[in-house]
Amino acid sequence: MIKQKITLAVTGLNNTDNPGPGVPVIRGAKDSEELEVRVIGLVYENLEPGIYMENLCDRIFQIPYPSSGSEGLIERVEQIHQQEKIDVLIPNFDAELFSFMKYEKRLAEKGIRTFLPTLEQFQEREKDKLPEYGEKYGVKVPDSINLGSLHQLNEVASKFDYPIMIKGQFYDAYKCFNIEQAIYAFHKVASKWGLPVIVQEFVSGTEVNVVALGDGSGTTIAAVPMRKQYITEKGKAWGGITLADEKMLELTRVLIQKTKWKGGMELELIKTSSSDYYLIEINPRIPAWVYLAVGSGQNIPEALIKLALGMEVKPMKEYKIGKMFVRYSYDMIVDLERFAAISINKEI
Amino acid sequence: MQILEEIKISDNGFVFNALTGESFSLNPIGLEIIKMIAANSDFDEIRKTILDKYDVDDLSFEKDFYEFSTMLKHYQLTQQNNPLNFV
């Protein structure tokens, strides 16, 4: 079979203790039997491990943080495109998605295809809107309050029993057992991610996740449920296993069907001892553990690229149950020249 | 008592619950008993098999069997119907 040659640009090459999904997305794309992928790595920092991994990226470019302005980020991508002719771009950070969604049309006109949720889909699943989201789509979610100031923490005492979860808008979550811990977590989260800070009822149970892909018309193209077997101090999965949980799959299919979700997503759920599922978060992108889905039979990155290119993708129903991933750390020895090149030239 | 169909039992005593992702290790007797339960043997059949094969008295077997059954229920390896139904 002759493979279709494409150039894929990917962000999120930060395979650190809080890993971005870039490297597993590239691995999935390279596993494709239909696509021959040339990879352009887009990095924010000059020590993102993906820069130094052999046989991963063909070119690397540094791009400016979206916080310094969406326009600057998009212009840099367009500049790279003039040089490299990007066919598909997969952004992998929550914080950059807004910029890429906002300029989706402009990028498409230049020939850079993406496959992202709409702004409405993106915004309605934000953490501070979760109760409304749960009600709208008939999903159980933990009760929560959005705090605009520290004084409002007093409301928590009358509404929830401890422990509670204190969460940032984009990242970070702390389990707090008393008001002192809650105040500390509030300051930590607010200084990093701004306001509102979200206080969420703590739901006791097992944390389970689904990685899924919606085609934008209500069809679930792929969905694989997983249970975290090993969780780091930052709450990241360092090991996980695929599950045979039809309830989780049904919940995913219903949500994608009702929201007409477009793109990759991760559902974070708590399964209680009475087998109820509480949706605690929706990540609007492919998660860092996506290679488990690839390894168990559903190549989500490949399917997403094909959808972005307008190719037909049939829904994938099967996956291997009981497949595991175990992450590891590994010291690469790299030459200073590579570090110098990305630091000074902003490209390799 | 019925073992859930999502439970995979290996001959080396490794038990995997595909519904929850949990796994367990059984000793040889535990493995023998769970296999009999999975094959729908009733309590009397299991008791006879174990008493014939091993040097154990009826009372000790019954006590250990109920404890084992409770554990299987606790870890959600069985269909949760009647809580008083041990076999």
Side-chain angles (χ1 to χ4, degrees):
Chain A
M1 187 183 187
I2 298 168
K3 290 184 174 184
Q4 183 178 340
K5 288 184 178 177
I6 66 144
T7 299
L8 172 71
V10 176
T11 65
L13 304 188
N14 55 323
N15 258 38
T16 60
D17 59 342
N18 184 7
V23 172
V25 163
I26 294 169
R27 286 181 74 194
K30 288 195 168 195
D31 282 358
S32 172
E33 289 177 1
E34 293 174 48
L35 305 171
E36 189 180 320
V37 183
R38 186 169 167 273
V39 179
I40 310 298
L42 304 177
V43 299
Y44 292 102
E45 297 285 340
N46 53 15
L47 275 174
E48 292 187 26
I51 300 170
Y52 305 97
M53 291 170 71
E54 283 185 23
N55 304 318
L56 188 76
C57 295
D58 297 279
R59 296 296 315 274
I60 306 272
F61 293 89
Q62 193 165 19
I63 53 173
Y65 273 109
S67 53
S68 61
S70 296
E71 188 71 27
L73 172 66
I74 299 302
E75 277 175 11
R76 174 66 171 145
V77 171
E78 286 171 343
Q79 189 190 13
I80 296 163
H81 177 59
Q82 282 181 353
Q83 213 176 311
E84 301 296 333
K85 295 277 168 281
I86 299 166
D87 294 305
V88 177
L89 167 68
I90 304 182
N92 286 305
F93 286 118
D94 294 12
E96 68 187 5
L97 282 178
F98 183 83
S99 303
F100 287 114
M101 285 187 299
K102 193 174 160 194
Y103 290 100
E104 186 180 11
K105 210 172 154 198
R106 176 168 147 183
L107 291 171
E109 281 165 3
K110 297 248 161 50
I112 305 171
R113 263 76 50 104
T114 54
F115 201 73
L116 301 169
T118 63
L119 269 175
E120 190 192 352
Q121 289 170 342
F122 179 77
Q123 284 169 336
E124 73 173 356
R125 38 79 18 215
E126 282 174 349
K127 281 185 211 173
D128 56 344
K129 300 187 187 83
L130 204 60
E132 294 90 329
Y133 191 88
E135 197 173 332
K136 185 173 174 187
Y137 295 113
V139 189
K140 282 184 181 170
V141 298
D143 209 353
S144 67
I145 307 175
N146 299 327
L147 301 183
S149 72
L150 186 61
H151 301 293
Q152 287 175 280
L153 255 183
N154 296 328
E155 285 179 38
V156 171
S158 57
K159 194 159 183 189
F160 303 128
D161 291 329
Y162 283 100
I164 54 170
M165 297 301 294
I166 301 274
K167 293 185 165 187
Q169 304 179 64
F170 294 113
Y171 293 106
D172 278 350
Y174 297 94
K175 187 177 175 183
C176 302
F177 290 88
N178 52 48
I179 187 73
E180 286 77 20
Q181 287 179 357
I183 292 169
Y184 174 74
F186 178 93
H187 286 304
K188 210 168 172 179
V189 166
S191 62
K192 204 166 174 188
W193 303 112
L195 298 170
V197 168
I198 299 130
V199 181
Q200 203 173 65
E201 170 194 15
F202 177 76
V203 179
S204 179
T206 308
E207 193 177 326
V208 284
N209 304 62
V210 185
V211 54
L213 176 64
D215 73 347
S217 70
T219 304
T220 300
I221 297 295
V224 176
M226 177 275 280
R227 173 176 174 253
K228 292 179 182 177
Q229 289 180 300
Y230 192 110
I231 302 176
T232 66
E233 277 184 18
K234 289 189 176 172
K236 306 296 162 191
W238 207 254
I241 189 163
T242 56
L243 304 176
D245 194 322
E246 189 48 42
K247 272 192 187 174
M248 284 170 73
L249 291 171
E250 185 56 23
L251 196 148
T252 307
R253 285 192 287 262
V254 167
L255 264 184
I256 288 179
Q257 193 252 322
K258 284 185 179 172
T259 60
K260 299 199 171 11
W261 184 267
K262 187 180 166 206
M265 71 176 343
E266 181 193 28
L267 298 180
E268 293 190 7
L269 305 158
I270 298 287
K271 183 185 180 185
T272 66
S273 54
S274 52
S275 291
D276 283 327
Y277 291 84
Y278 283 82
L279 179 66
I280 53 168
E281 214 167 302
I282 298 178
N283 290 315
R285 46 153 181 85
I286 291 173
W289 58 273
V290 68
Y291 200 73
L292 176 66
V294 179
S296 58
Q298 296 194 5
N299 193 333
I300 291 177
E302 178 197 30
L304 190 143
I305 294 166
K306 286 164 74 180
L307 286 170
L309 291 169
M311 296 162 76
E312 192 199 350
V313 183
K314 290 198 174 118
M316 295 176 262
K317 309 262 185 202
E318 305 294 322
Y319 60 92
K320 289 178 194 130
I321 294 153
K323 274 279 172 196
M324 291 168 58
F325 81 91
V326 181
R327 213 164 260 168
Y328 69 107
S329 64
Y330 181 87
D331 300 338
M332 291 180 287
I333 303 301
V334 299
D335 291 326
L336 187 62
E337 286 75 14
R338 207 165 170 78
F339 177 70
I342 193 70
S343 303
I344 304 295
N345 305 331
K346 310 294 179 197
E347 64 177 76
I348 299 176
Chain B
M1 183 163 60
Q2 270 189 315
I3 303 293
L4 290 170
E5 62 176 295
E6 289 87 358
I7 308 300
K8 309 294 171 209
I9 304 163
S10 301
D11 286 339
N12 60 5
F14 183 81
V15 175
F16 172 60
N17 184 346
L19 204 55
T20 63
E22 289 173 314
S23 54
F24 309 88
S25 303
L26 288 175
N27 65 18
I29 310 251
L31 176 64
E32 213 172 329
I33 292 174
I34 202 171
K35 278 187 166 179
M36 283 190 271
I37 297 170
N40 292 323
S41 300
D42 64 22
F43 175 72
D44 289 331
E45 285 172 307
I46 297 169
R47 177 170 58 187
K48 184 171 182 324
T49 306
I50 297 294
L51 293 188
D52 286 351
K53 201 168 170 186
Y54 300 102
D55 181 19
V56 59
D57 64 84
D58 200 356
L59 196 65
S60 300
F61 168 74
E62 203 163 312
K63 182 177 138 299
D64 290 349
F65 181 81
Y66 285 147
E67 196 179 312
F68 183 62
S69 306
T70 308
M71 206 181 285
L72 294 180
K73 282 190 176 190
H74 174 74
Y75 288 116
Q76 301 183 352
L77 301 177
T78 60
Q79 283 185 352
Q80 309 285 319
N81 299 325
N82 181 357
L84 297 175
N85 180 11
F86 284 94
V87 179

